[in-house]
Amino acid sequence: MLISEAQKICPELVIVNGEDLTKFRDTSKKLWSFLRSHSWNKKVERLGLDEVFLDVSDIITYNHQILNRNALATSFFQLSHQDPEQGFVFNATTFFGCTSSSANVLHDENLSNPLCVRLMLASHLAGYLRHKLEEDFGYTSTCGISINKVLAKLAGTKNKPKNQTTLVGLADRDIQQFMDDHPIRKIPGLGFKISHLVENHVLSRTTEAIPHDEENSAKITVREVLEYPGLTQGMLERVLSRPGTERGIGKKIWSLLHGIDDADVKEANDVPTQISIEDTYVTKPINTPVELMRELRVISTSLIRRMRVDLLDDTFDSDETGVQRWLAYPKTLRLSTRVKAKPGPEVSTRDSFSRSSRSQPLPNFVLNIKDSIEEITERLIHEAVVPLFRRLHNERHNWNLSLINICVTNMVLTSNDEGQGVGRDISTMFKTQDAKLKEFTVYDETPLESPAGGVASERDDGSIDDHAAQESDAEVASWEDNDEESWDRCSQCGHAIPAFAMAAHERFHSMSD
DNA sequence: CGGGGAGAG
DNA sequence: CATTCTCTCCCCG
């Protein structure tokens, strides 16, 4: 809701600058887990905090097979392969919720069309899941049901805010009809860059300047693009190809415009591939080391906190077992900044939006769970973040920073989620474990060096200076040096293994026995 | 792997 | 309403 609207309705409203997304994140995770628990193939892909794709092909195939055509009105949808009791009763003579066509009832000719029956079954599954989301958790939802991701997502926009839409596209021309009236910018996968290139070409414009705002973004429809003479995959490829563009972009965009999308629904990722925290300083850019250090401290602190929330195993209460281990840990630390554009006559809007970044290996002390967040933050800033900053900016002040971002990425998984996903196949499990052991072996034999650039510190005059590396810096960031409990010898093979990886390592032995 | 771009919510 | 703060996937050298 617009803040101005909220204040109109509720004048005594207290507005606090900033937000805490914790409850949103937790709820998102909870609802997502619920949906995943109903998936057979585990293809449950999150899109942001409040959307999710489910590939339910396997469930639909099964329920199609067991469908009794003599008692359609009192059918039973089986939610489990193992337990035939699990499921719900439904009326298979109609779709659940809205459909893209006017009639919701399945006529005889449609009943003989397998695709139509499958879509009908999926609509009931969606209806059931949405019902549970509302009854058990208290959240309404929208859903689109179709044969691929693009069509499902577009269908889902039709009956907001709390209904579902099944796209009953039985022939290619039904699909095309559905696509035709959409503005191309609304097609998932066509962002503002590609939309403008396509629009400019179709309208035979040669405008180089791409407007950055949503306002004058392409209002041109899919139909108008497809009616353009000579529009082929190859033509789109030529129009859209610039250095750095995705290979096969022409074919991809052409397909999307036709409602064709072979992108897989990806299996759920247990840990994010990246965690980043950023802040913008538009009205008052960062210019002095004092301001800089304060902001780096704020951002780093919240990053360490987020790492512990998102990357630590929370299956047991930490105070019950006393042991928490990393599900995954990042190998890389990255600092990005954006410099505020100089207010001049010809400001290429481009400039103010692009970022620069530098990265380096993440020091290992960051993973010491027992150390306090403040302690780790301080060390991280001085030993890693400031050196990265100095690689980005030579000047000692007046950087005019309008954005700072700190990111950890390049995650290494430390254990298989037991009984889940890939772990079924012994040989692939062996391979993954082997790869992980290799990781640890490297750490074992090669003690980490102290980060390049030495330590920087803040001086009274506000400048940042390098010190020659101190004696103590030599022992920077090594688990062994800091905490003898962090590494252990495996009783079976004598290999040195980080404590958090021991469980995985022992499973490795049990697999190879 | 490091750096950057595009697109998503 | 426009901007902010994430996150993922991809390309190039």
Side-chain angles (χ1 to χ4, degrees):
Chain A
M1 171 181 263
L2 259 47
I3 286 180
S4 54
E5 291 290 315
Q7 279 171 323
K8 221 178 289 170
I9 297 167
C10 184
E12 70 276 25
L13 186 67
V14 177
I15 308 285
V16 179
N17 196 6
E19 73 286 313
D20 178 2
L21 295 180
T22 310
K23 285 189 177 180
F24 200 178
R25 276 203 194 89
D26 291 349
T27 304
S28 170
K29 200 172 177 182
K30 190 173 69 183
L31 300 189
W32 171 76
S33 302
F34 163 77
L35 290 173
R36 192 174 60 157
S37 73
H38 285 79
S39 174
W40 294 1
N41 55 23
K42 296 299 169 195
K43 291 182 181 179
V44 186
E45 180 181 348
R46 292 178 56 142
L47 191 55
L49 289 169
D50 65 349
E51 287 186 44
V52 61
F53 289 108
L54 281 89
D55 181 340
V56 295
S57 309
D58 51 352
I59 307 180
I60 299 305
T61 299
Y62 184 78
N63 278 276
H64 194 180
Q65 281 166 11
I66 62 171
L67 191 64
N68 179 0
R69 276 156 201 279
N70 299 317
L72 289 176
T74 54
S75 299
F76 188 78
F77 197 108
Q78 288 198 22
L79 290 170
S80 164
H81 237 307
Q82 284 83 33
D83 181 3
E85 306 272 299
Q86 268 190 57
F88 56 92
V89 175
F90 70 106
N91 180 355
T93 64
T94 71
F95 284 88
F96 189 105
C98 309
T99 60
S100 57
S101 60
S102 42
N104 267 25
V105 179
L106 269 83
H107 303 296
D108 282 346
E109 76 264 24
N110 286 342
L111 268 172
S112 60
N113 183 330
L115 174 56
C116 194
V117 176
R118 286 170 63 85
L119 287 166
M120 176 274 295
L121 291 171
S123 78
H124 286 280
L125 175 55
Y128 170 80
L129 292 174
R130 291 179 52 246
H131 175 77
K132 293 287 276 183
L133 285 179
E134 184 158 11
E135 289 298 294
D136 297 357
F137 299 97
Y139 296 96
T140 58
S141 58
T142 305
C143 181
I145 299 103
S146 189
I147 55 172
N148 65 37
K149 291 210 281 186
V150 173
L151 293 174
K153 188 152 164 48
L154 284 175
T157 65
K158 294 306 159 186
N159 290 285
K160 289 195 159 211
K162 44 178 175 182
N163 211 329
Q164 63 182 64
T165 309
T166 306
L167 175 51
V168 189
L170 305 178
D172 288 353
R173 73 173 175 291
D174 300 327
I175 304 282
Q176 197 56 58
Q177 231 175 61
F178 174 79
M179 295 298 300
D180 270 348
D181 291 323
H182 286 97
I184 59 169
R185 185 57 178 85
K186 289 282 161 63
I187 312 301
L190 282 111
F192 51 85
K193 296 271 184 183
I194 287 173
S195 297
H196 276 291
L197 285 173
V198 171
E199 182 188 29
N200 286 346
H201 191 266
V202 167
L203 299 180
S204 304
R205 286 205 223 125
T206 43
T207 331
E208 276 307 306
I210 297 169
H212 220 76
D213 49 275
E214 207 69 11
E215 217 57 66
N216 28 11
S217 102
K219 290 284 188 301
I220 185 170
T221 63
V222 169
R223 189 201 331 270
E224 291 172 276
V225 173
L226 293 185
E227 279 172 357
Y228 186 79
L231 188 119
T232 61
Q233 297 184 14
M235 185 266 251
L236 285 172
E237 183 76 35
R238 285 189 293 279
V239 170
L240 302 177
S241 283
R242 287 160 298 158
T245 355
E246 203 176 330
R247 274 185 297 269
I249 187 76
K251 181 185 171 122
K252 185 182 149 185
I253 299 302
W254 187 93
S255 300
L256 288 177
L257 293 173
H258 287 81
I260 298 167
D261 180 11
D262 60 4
D264 244 344
V265 173
K266 278 174 283 299
E267 262 183 54
N269 241 343
D270 238 3
V271 287
T273 62
Q274 174 211 313
I275 301 174
S276 73
I277 307 284
E278 72 184 30
D279 234 321
T280 45
Y281 319 95
V282 176
T283 45
K284 52 134 221 119
I286 303 288
N287 269 311
T288 71
V290 175
E291 298 167 324
L292 176 66
M293 294 307 283
R294 190 183 58 227
E295 291 313 320
L296 293 183
R297 209 159 271 133
V298 168
I299 294 172
S300 301
T301 303
S302 102
L303 182 67
I304 305 289
R305 203 166 277 138
R306 273 289 304 284
M307 279 179 60
R308 293 187 175 198
V309 171
D310 291 356
L311 262 29
L312 280 180
D313 194 356
D314 65 349
T315 46
F316 310 100
D317 267 346
S318 54
D319 46 6
E320 265 181 45
T321 61
V323 188
Q324 265 195 313
R325 40 178 265 284
W326 296 93
L327 288 169
Y329 64 92
K331 277 193 302 193
T332 307
L333 177 74
R334 177 163 63 226
L335 174 74
S336 312
T337 59
R338 187 184 68 194
V339 171
K340 191 182 163 75
K342 287 267 175 286
E346 48 239 85
V347 261
S348 62
T349 343
R350 218 67 297 172
D351 254 10
S352 61
F353 272 89
S354 73
R355 301 157 174 224
S356 313
S357 71
R358 293 294 180 270
S359 45
Q360 66 153 69
L362 181 76
N364 283 342
F365 63 77
V366 175
L367 303 181
N368 261 333
I369 301 168
K370 288 171 208 152
D371 293 348
S372 75
I373 290 180
E374 299 76 38
E375 217 174 317
I376 292 174
T377 301
E378 218 49 39
R379 234 184 127 182
L380 182 68
I381 289 174
H382 287 106
E383 295 177 25
V385 180
V386 169
L388 284 173
F389 185 84
R390 295 183 54 92
R391 285 213 270 146
L392 272 172
H393 302 277
N394 295 321
E395 305 80 11
R396 308 189 150 250
H397 47 85
N398 295 338
W399 309 285
N400 239 339
L401 305 179
S402 61
L403 174 144
I404 300 176
N405 173 302
I406 303 181
C407 168
V408 286
T409 183
N410 226 331
M411 301 292 177
V412 180
L413 260 37
T414 60
S415 73
N416 280 322
D417 318 283
E418 358 232 337
Q420 227 166 219
V422 213
R424 282 276 111 93
D425 180 348
I426 303 239
S427 77
T428 61
M429 192 172 203
F430 188 93
K431 267 182 217 145
T432 28
Q433 291 294 354
D434 201 41
K436 279 161 205 159
L437 284 171
K438 224 162 127 193
E439 287 288 339
F440 300 137
T441 311
V442 171
Y443 282 110
D444 190 19
E445 291 165 358
T446 326
L448 271 191
E449 289 168 18
S450 99
V455 186
S457 71
E458 226 177 305
R459 285 207 315 222
D460 284 341
D461 65 1
S463 69
I464 298 177
D465 248 347
D466 272 17
H467 292 302
Q470 306 277 310
E471 192 73 74
S472 62
D473 293 338
E475 51 184 330
V476 149
S478 166
W479 273 311
E480 304 99 303
D481 295 340
N482 293 335
D483 189 347
E484 68 281 3
E485 279 177 359
S486 293
W487 285 73
D488 271 316
R489 292 274 164 199
C490 171
S491 54
Q492 296 187 54
C493 67
H495 215 99
I497 304 287
F500 66 72
M502 192 53 87
H505 180 78
E506 275 161 9
R507 274 201 296 282
F508 161 74
H509 278 300
S510 69
M511 296 309 306
S512 45
D513 280 343

